[in-house]
Amino acid sequence: MFKSATVRLTAWYALIIMFISILFSVSLYEVSLHELDDRLHQQMVFLLPRVPKIRAEIISQHNLGSHALLVDLVYFNLIVLVAATTASYLLARQTLEPIEEAHEMQTRFAADASHELRTPLTAMKSEIEVALRDGKLPLSEYQRLLTSNLEEVDRLVTLTNV
């Protein structure tokens, strides 16, 4: 139960971190590409009238620079993905650990309480069944049976009041 919750929580944490990382990377790429385009334009205006043969080299360098930036951002996001998944798993375990412990304690308590309630009920039921089968019991036996059952009921009341 908690393993699947850990996986789901890890996935959500990693998804949120990756969304932010990719959003940041796209913004960084757009701003950087705009800066590269501005510099290309400046070089074209300044150099083209003087050296027309350089135009192709400048455009090639611009394309290489924008491609290198894109590759770097992809690698960066892969590293963020691995780190975010690891950190998310550790955080999810830390978050769910106290809940898991509380759940185990509750399960143990329910099992113990169930056992403690069944024991007196089983004793009362057995005594009553024996008394009902033997229809010729003296009044003193019925009184003993009722006294014993009353003690068991008092024990149950004490258990439920704790």
Side-chain angles (χ1 to χ4, degrees):
M1 175 179 154
F2 286 98
K3 297 240 186 260
S4 65
T6 303
V7 169
R8 284 193 311 269
L9 194 56
T10 299
W12 276 109
Y13 287 161
L15 183 69
I16 291 168
I17 292 169
M18 286 312 300
F19 176 77
I20 293 169
S21 178
I22 289 171
L23 189 65
F24 175 76
S25 295
V26 167
S27 299
L28 180 65
Y29 183 75
E30 290 297 320
V31 168
S32 298
L33 197 57
H34 180 71
E35 182 68 25
L36 282 173
D37 287 342
D38 283 350
R39 295 205 180 193
L40 174 66
H41 180 70
Q42 288 172 359
Q43 288 179 358
M44 295 287 201
V45 168
F46 179 73
L47 291 176
L48 274 186
R50 297 183 180 135
V51 188
K53 295 180 181 178
I54 298 180
R55 182 173 203 263
E57 181 62 28
I58 292 173
I59 292 174
S60 173
Q61 290 298 318
H62 174 268
N63 291 339
L64 283 174
S66 62
H67 183 264
L69 177 61
L70 184 62
V71 169
D72 288 345
L73 288 174
V74 168
Y75 284 138
F76 172 77
N77 278 298
L78 288 174
I79 292 169
V80 168
L81 177 64
V82 171
T85 302
T86 303
S88 296
Y89 177 77
L90 296 174
L91 186 59
R93 285 298 310 144
Q94 185 178 8
T95 301
L96 293 175
E97 209 168 83
I99 297 169
E100 188 174 357
E101 289 173 9
H103 179 69
E104 288 174 12
M105 288 174 52
Q106 183 181 16
T107 302
R108 272 194 308 262
F109 172 77
D112 292 346
S114 175
H115 175 73
E116 290 296 323
L117 292 173
R118 265 195 307 258
T119 302
L121 289 173
T122 302
M124 290 170 50
K125 183 178 180 185
S126 298
E127 289 177 348
I128 292 170
E129 286 174 347
V130 168
L132 288 175
R133 284 191 190 135
D134 187 5
K136 298 178 184 179
L137 284 178
L139 184 59
S140 62
E141 275 300 307
Y142 283 114
Q143 285 178 329
R144 187 199 61 77
L145 173 68
L146 290 174
T147 302
S148 173
N149 285 341
L150 185 59
E151 288 170 2
E152 295 296 336
V153 168
D154 286 340
R155 183 169 170 229
L156 290 173
V157 168
T158 302
L159 282 173
T160 58
N161 286 336
V162 174

